[in-house]
Amino acid sequence: MPTPALNLPIFAPHADAPPKRDIWLSIRRGFMGRCPACGEGRIFGRYLKVNPACPQCGEELHHHRADDAPPYATIFIVGHIVGSLMLLVETFWPDAPIWLHALVWPTLVAMLSLWFLPRVKGALIAHQWALRMHGFETAQSPPPHEHTP
């Protein structure tokens, strides 16, 4: 006997459903600080200030809800990188002076955090755009450009 749940209209694809957006392409564009829709315009007007709309294609970007996720992900990434490097240094150079540790690791954490934070935030905003979350569901995608980075 067939399962009745699979025959429900809720699981059937809608004819008027908007076209799917390429998630990985969008995330890559966001990671590079570019508009997830066209890949040309910049997401950020300043270091972490998101432009209300793409300066190139006009795609609205103000719908994003990045909140605290980018700092959490940045801490996770940087913590794994620096923690692994600290273990490697301790394994291969156990007699390293403490002043060197006190100088290198906080500096590396600060530099990596400042480098990763806008990239992670851009990728998260692009992921929300690709999944049509938080107001991006009604935003119309601009026509595709010939040049797609």
Side-chain angles (χ1 to χ4, degrees):
M1 181 167 160
T3 346
L6 297 177
N7 296 329
L8 292 174
I10 192 168
F11 294 113
H14 297 289
D16 59 343
K20 289 190 176 235
R21 295 172 172 166
D22 188 342
I23 294 173
W24 291 110
L25 176 63
S26 300
I27 291 173
R28 189 171 69 232
R29 287 175 173 173
F31 187 83
M32 299 307 292
R34 300 293 177 188
C35 171
C38 69
E40 300 287 326
R42 296 188 155 276
I43 289 182
F44 301 108
R46 284 182 248 146
Y47 179 63
L48 290 175
K49 176 76 172 157
V50 179
N51 285 326
C54 173
Q56 292 293 324
C57 68
E59 178 74 30
E60 295 177 344
L61 301 171
H62 63 87
H63 301 292
H64 78 89
R65 296 289 177 262
D67 301 329
D68 293 336
Y72 290 143
T74 300
I75 290 169
F76 183 79
I77 294 166
V78 171
H80 277 80
I81 292 171
V82 173
S84 299
L85 290 174
M86 289 173 77
L87 290 173
L88 281 172
V89 168
E90 279 299 313
T91 300
F92 294 107
W93 192 15
D95 298 331
I98 194 71
W99 64 266
L100 185 65
H101 288 289
L103 182 68
V104 169
W105 303 126
T107 305
L108 188 59
V109 165
M111 289 173 39
L112 286 174
S113 296
L114 291 172
W115 188 82
F116 270 112
L117 187 56
R119 285 158 180 78
V120 170
K121 184 174 181 177
L124 179 73
I125 292 169
H127 190 243
Q128 291 176 355
W129 176 86
L131 296 179
R132 300 180 187 274
M133 297 171 63
H134 308 299
F136 287 123
E137 66 270 3
T138 58
Q140 296 297 319
S141 296
H145 288 59
E146 291 180 16
H147 173 67
T148 304

